[in-house]
Amino acid sequence: MIVIMKENAREEAAAAVIGRLESCGLIAWRSDGERRTLIGAVGDAGRIDAEMLRAMDGVEDVRRISEPFPRCGRHAHPADTVTAVGDAAFGGGHFAMIAGPCAVESREQILALAPVLKAAGAQLLRGGAFKPRTSPYAFQGYGAQALAWLAEAGAAAGLPTVSEILSPEQLPLFEHIDMLQIGARNMQNYELLKAVSGAGKPVLLKRSPAGTVRELLLAAEYLMAGGCEQIVLCERGIRSFETATRNTLDLSAVPVLKEKTHLPVIVDPSHATGCARFVPPMALAAAAAGADGLMVEVHPEPAMALSDGPQALTPAQFEKLGAAVGRVRRALEAEA
Ligand code: PEP
Ligand code: MN
C-alpha cells in the first residue's frame, strides 16, 4: 500500500499516517521527495481501511498494491480451484450444469423431474425450499419439507443437490443437502456467510444485483476466512437502467473474476434474463466467455410454476441447450 501525502502536508501528518499503519501491524517507510512525501507499507494490508487513511490530515491518495482478498485472490493461489459436489466438479477445466425448478413444488414433481434432468445432462439438482421473494404475499417455498423432497429426489436420481439458505438458524435443516446456496439478496449478509463457512459443505455464492466484483470477492473471502474452500461464484445479472430483461447479465464479470480469483465461476442466465427465450443464447455466451458451469431453471410445466415460470426451460429445451453448450465447449477447446 502506498500513501501519497499532499504537497503542503505537515510533518506531523506524515508521522500520524506512519503511526496508524504501524498500529495496524504493517511495516511502514517513507520517501521524502522535493515536493511531497510517499509512505509505503507492507504486511497484511487487509487489516487497514484505505478510506480511513484517505480521510487523514494531509493525505492526497491511497493506492493498494495487493487486492484485499488474500485467500480468494490468484496471487497466493495461482492454480484454479476445483470445487467438487458429489460427482460434479467446477473449475480447472471441469464444467457442470445445475438444473431444476425455481422452487420445489411437490414431492412427486421433483421425484419425477430429477431423473429426466440427469438424463438431459444435469450434474446437480437445484430447487428452492426457502424463497426470498420481493413481495411478502408471493409464494415463499415449502421450507423443510421441500428440502427433504429435494434430498430424496437427488439421492434417487444420483444427483447432488443445492438449495438456498436464508438464515444461520436454518443450517440444521440442510443436513442432507450437498451444497448451500447464498442467494443474490444475501451476498453481503455477513453473519450468514460466517455461519455457512463453517458448515463443511461447498457453497454456491451468487452475486448481488448491486454488488461489484470486488464486493463479491470480499464475500467469498468471508467464506474462505471461515474455513470454506469449496466455493463456486455465480454471476446472475446486475441491476441497470435496462428494463428489457429482468437483470443485465454482466458476462464480462466472468473473465474479470477468473483473472482475479482461482475460484470457479458459473452463470445463471435464468435469473439474469427472466425470460426462457433468452436463456439459451446467454448460456452459450457464458460458456464461450469461459464460465465453469451454468445454473438453469427447468420446470416440467413452466406455465404452471409457482415462481419464475416465465424464465423456466422445459426439460426438452434444457437437453437441447446442454448439447449446444457441449458444442461450444468443444469449439473452445479446439481453439485453445
Ligand atoms: C435462485 O437461484 O433461486 C434465486 C433466488 O436466485 P437469485 O438469488 O440470483 O435471485
Ligand atoms: Mn427463481
Side-chain angles (χ1 to χ4, degrees):
M1 173 176 277
I2 294 176
V3 181
I4 303 161
M5 301 302 291
K6 286 185 177 147
E7 281 198 24
N8 58 355
R10 292 174 302 117
E11 172 53 32
E12 300 86 77
V17 168
I18 290 173
R20 181 58 73 93
L21 290 166
E22 287 176 346
S23 72
C24 292
L26 291 135
I27 297 168
W29 75 93
R30 60 188 287 171
S31 172
D32 294 305
E34 239 171 67
R35 301 219 308 263
R36 39 170 112 233
T37 295
L38 300 183
I39 299 169
V42 287
D44 184 0
R47 286 161 176 259
I48 194 139
D49 180 353
E51 293 315 312
M52 177 273 293
L53 280 178
R54 202 168 269 130
M56 285 181 76
D57 185 37
V59 173
E60 168 98 28
D61 201 5
V62 179
R63 308 248 171 99
R64 279 191 184 276
I65 298 169
S66 51
E67 303 274 26
F69 30 81
R71 289 183 169 85
C72 64
R74 277 243 186 234
H75 287 295
H77 192 304
D80 286 345
T81 284
V82 178
T83 296
V85 193
D87 291 337
F90 301 87
H94 300 275
F95 186 98
M97 305 261 276
I98 306 173
C102 180
V104 178
E105 298 177 353
S106 74
R107 178 173 177 267
E108 293 65 36
Q109 188 183 79
I110 197 76
L111 274 172
L113 184 61
V116 174
L117 292 177
K118 176 152 185 176
Q123 280 113 323
L124 256 106
L125 180 65
R126 66 149 284 148
F130 298 97
K131 297 303 302 173
R133 306 303 300 281
T134 304
S135 163
Y137 309 116
F139 172 58
Q140 304 282 309
Y142 288 127
Q145 200 177 36
L147 288 178
W149 296 334
L150 181 68
E152 184 186 350
L159 285 175
T161 52
V162 53
S163 194
E164 177 168 358
I165 178 164
L166 293 185
S167 74
E169 297 72 46
Q170 290 171 353
L171 256 179
L173 302 174
F174 282 73
E175 191 186 342
H176 301 296
I177 301 298
D178 301 294
M179 185 182 214
L180 304 175
Q181 176 172 324
I182 302 278
R185 291 155 189 80
N186 275 315
M187 184 195 88
Q188 288 181 306
N189 182 337
Y190 300 117
E191 290 310 310
L192 182 60
L193 292 171
K194 285 187 216 168
V196 159
S197 71
K201 292 190 191 249
V203 176
L204 176 62
L205 176 62
K206 299 189 86 175
R207 179 182 181 182
S208 140
T212 61
V213 161
R214 183 174 176 277
E215 286 162 341
L216 171 60
L217 289 170
L218 283 165
E221 191 73 13
Y222 263 87
L223 293 172
M224 293 199 75
C228 174
E229 305 212 317
Q230 294 277 285
I231 300 168
V232 175
L233 305 176
C234 180
E235 161 60 36
R236 46 75 77 204
I238 53 175
R239 181 163 286 194
S240 77
F241 55 83
E242 184 55 76
T243 54
T245 48
R246 185 174 178 185
N247 290 286
T248 295
L249 182 55
D250 179 14
L251 267 190
S252 57
V254 175
V256 170
L257 281 165
K258 291 193 64 74
E259 189 174 281
K260 289 186 183 296
T261 179
H262 51 88
L263 296 172
V265 180
I266 70 167
V267 169
D268 168 355
S270 306
H271 292 91
T273 61
C275 173
R277 285 194 312 285
F278 305 146
V279 169
M282 298 323 289
L284 297 182
D292 300 302
L294 290 164
M295 173 140 108
V296 180
E297 284 191 345
V298 184
H299 192 283
E301 271 182 291
M304 304 302 289
L306 296 180
S307 59
D308 285 353
Q311 69 195 31
L313 298 186
T314 62
Q317 288 169 330
F318 173 71
E319 181 161 17
K320 201 168 156 222
L321 173 60
V325 167
R327 287 194 293 276
V328 167
R329 289 197 21 87
R330 284 193 291 283
L332 281 181
E333 278 160 20
E335 193 71 26

